[in-house]
Amino acid sequence: MKLLTIVGARPQFIKAAPFSRAVRHNHTEILVHTGQHYDPLLSDVFFEELSLPRPDYHLGVGSGTHGRQTGQILERAEEVMRKERPDAVVIYGDTNSTLAGALAAAKLAIPVAHVEAGLRSFVRHMPEEINRVVADRLSTWLFAPTWTAVENLRKEGVPVAEGDPTTYNLKPTTYLTGDIMCDALRQNAAIATEKSRVLERLALRPGEYVLATIHRAANTDDVDRLGEIFDALALLHEPVIVPLHPRTKAALLGTDIKVEPAVRIVDPVGYLDMLQLQRHARTVLTDSGGVQKEAYLLGVPCVTLRDETEWPETLAGEWNVLAGADCERILRAARRPRPATSPPPAFGDGHAAERMVGILARSVG
Ligand code: UD1
Ligand code: UDP
């Protein structure tokens, strides 16, 4: 089987690592980097840490408006797909790279496998919601990470594969595989503990700091929301560490939002440092999808700086609480007591990638 995998943004490098490892045992993978993320701290570091193979093609699109970025990836990915003629194209998540990869493949009648299918925020103006809805519609294999995702797709009319089917067809079908970020976390948690020196480097004591990440357009592009979030970080009156996404850095520069000294802005960190920072945080504040899940899997209370989540499983037992961008709500959520019971399992067994490769190989192989 010959697969062509499209990646372009930070979380996609992390998701592609377990998949690449699983597929390359017995099959061929052509790895395409769109260039959506290009800063070394948003891209190269993950290839090095996760031993992700060097991309076979780099499309070099860089930043731009949604239309320009999506259009350039579409045009350049199409060229690569015409040349390589893979059996299937694999896309991850909900970025502009995901959407463009799905469109390029579908127009060439190459079947698409969508890893992380079926997630919905039900907020139609959110760029990621547009990307994931279209990507799902164009996909043949919808690899759902959770039961919620399966149910979302069922309501949209996509049939679900029951159990472990022995016959496969190329009709759009949902497969419950578990979450590939859970694979990545399990493969790297012990390595992070062994290798990461981030706590020493930042002089942080386990359990005595808050970790915050902010990059969602709804927060960065709205000065009132961004201001409320930074007010809340300051009012926590404890060390807050913020590995800052370049989008948020640029947004802050254009405002008069004051960042208090207890709120420590640092460059984005690598995956191993990020796992370590999350594991030892007293609590995590984030608008990231991936970070909500990782906090849950690591048993660290989370406050989501949004009004909805695509990962409602994380709300179980108040391990995650939605606080929007409202200073009072954020403070209340961040100060809530640590949940008494462990987070129930929700994201699979850490073998999602092998399951996906098996399904693909039996379908096209
Ligand atoms: C993108 C995804 C988002 C995902 C996030 C992961 C879309 C629409 N959004 O958001 O779903 O959660 O990646 O991190 O695809 N920039 C740099 N250096 C880089 C990359 C970006 O400075 O290497 C800056 C540029 O100013 C750019 C801005 O960040 O305009 C936004 O980058 P972009 O890739 O468009 O979206 P993200 O906010 O990163
Ligand atoms: N991450 C990282 N360094 C950082 C911030 C995040 O390695 O400075 C990792 C994080 O652990 C998770 C993934 O990036 O695995 C989440 O990506 P991001 O928050 O950029 O996007 P989202 O998941 O919201 O699409």
Side-chain angles (χ1 to χ4, degrees), residues 182-200:
C182 179
D183 296 21
L185 190 144
R186 287 201 186 191
Q187 288 169 17
N188 289 285
I191 301 172
T193 305
E194 188 194 318
K195 289 198 176 160
S196 171
R197 294 285 163 270
V198 69
L199 296 196
E200 292 88 326

Side-chain angles (χ1 to χ4, degrees), residues 39 41 61 135 144 185 228 231 234 254 264 269 274 280-281 289 296 330:
D39 283 352
L41 293 180
V61 299
L185 190 144
E228 288 265 327
D231 282 350
R264 287 172 61 191
V269 295
M274 188 63 184
H280 293 293
Y296 185 86
I330 297 169

Side-chain angles (χ1 to χ4, degrees), residues 11-347:
Q12 294 169 335
F13 310 134
I14 295 163
K15 291 167 198 175
F19 189 87
S20 240
R21 187 177 291 188
V23 83
R24 286 176 191 235
H25 280 309
N26 293 312
H27 308 281
T28 303
E29 184 189 38
I30 306 294
L31 187 63
V32 179
H33 187 326
T34 65
Q36 177 171 351
H37 283 177
Y38 44 86
D39 283 352
L41 293 180
L42 255 64
S43 175
D44 298 1
V45 64
F46 301 100
F47 284 79
E48 285 153 25
E49 285 188 343
L50 297 164
S51 306
L52 201 56
R54 262 177 70 87
D56 298 282
Y57 295 88
H58 198 297
L59 307 183
V61 299
S63 301
T65 63
H66 286 277
R68 188 164 173 272
Q69 191 174 57
T70 310
Q72 287 193 353
I73 301 170
L74 175 60
E75 189 178 349
R76 296 177 195 182
E78 180 185 61
E79 211 175 299
V80 176
M81 289 175 198
R82 285 170 74 95
K83 185 167 158 225
E84 292 290 345
R85 277 280 150 198
D87 294 313
V89 164
V90 181
I91 52 168
Y92 299 89
D94 50 23
T95 71
N96 289 344
S97 297
T98 315
L99 170 64
L103 273 172
K107 290 286 183 98
L108 293 173
I110 303 170
V112 177
H114 187 196
V115 179
E116 222 176 63
L119 297 187
R120 297 290 180 267
S121 64
F122 304 102
V123 178
R124 256 309 155 92
H125 58 259
M126 184 182 179
E128 291 84 358
E129 185 79 351
I130 300 166
N131 292 345
R132 56 172 88 103
V133 165
V134 178
D136 279 344
R137 204 47 79 246
L138 297 177
S139 294
T140 293
W141 301 273
L142 294 99
F143 292 138
T146 58
W147 278 112
T148 308
V150 170
E151 191 55 18
N152 289 338
L153 290 168
R154 199 189 54 73
K155 286 184 191 146
E156 293 175 17
V158 187
V160 186
E162 298 287 349
D164 193 12
T166 48
T167 55
Y168 287 81
N169 55 42
L170 292 180
K171 289 207 189 99
T173 305
T174 301
Y175 302 87
L176 177 66
T177 55
D179 183 40
I180 200 155
M181 287 193 101
C182 179
D183 296 21
L185 190 144
R186 287 201 186 191
Q187 288 169 17
N188 289 285
I191 301 172
T193 305
E194 188 194 318
K195 289 198 176 160
S196 171
R197 294 285 163 270
V198 69
L199 296 196
E200 292 88 326
R201 202 168 70 238
L202 297 174
L204 295 168
R205 282 209 290 263
E208 296 185 12
Y209 65 92
V210 170
L211 175 69
T213 80
I214 306 134
H215 76 276
R216 205 55 65 201
N219 287 331
T220 61
D221 299 1
D222 180 330
V223 66
D224 295 332
R225 289 180 70 95
L226 198 58
E228 288 265 327
I229 291 170
F230 274 89
D231 282 350
L233 298 185
L235 288 168
L236 280 169
H237 298 303
E238 59 190 315
V240 182
I241 195 90
V242 189
L244 201 65
H245 191 291
R247 176 191 198 107
T248 321
K249 188 176 183 180
L252 277 174
L253 284 174
T255 69
D256 56 6
I257 293 170
K258 230 173 115 234
V259 181
E260 298 297 330
V263 179
R264 287 172 61 191
I265 305 257
V266 297
D267 282 336
V269 295
Y271 183 56
L272 299 180
D273 283 350
M274 188 63 184
L275 288 183
Q276 200 65 353
L277 280 173
Q278 289 184 82
R279 188 205 300 277
H280 293 293
R282 182 187 68 73
T283 187
V284 170
L285 274 56
T286 193
D287 58 12
S288 156
V291 174
Q292 288 175 64
K293 274 183 289 178
E294 286 168 352
Y296 185 86
L297 289 165
L298 292 166
V300 177
C302 181
V303 179
T304 292
L305 306 169
R306 293 177 51 197
D307 296 303
E308 67 290 318
T309 178
E310 295 81 6
W311 305 99
E313 299 77 11
T314 59
L315 302 172
E318 290 214 320
W319 278 98
N320 186 14
V321 168
L322 300 176
D326 177 294
C327 182
E328 281 307 312
R329 277 172 69 198
I330 297 169
L331 288 175
R332 221 178 310 125
R335 289 173 179 151
R336 75 190 187 279
R338 191 186 156 79
T341 53
S342 304
F347 296 109

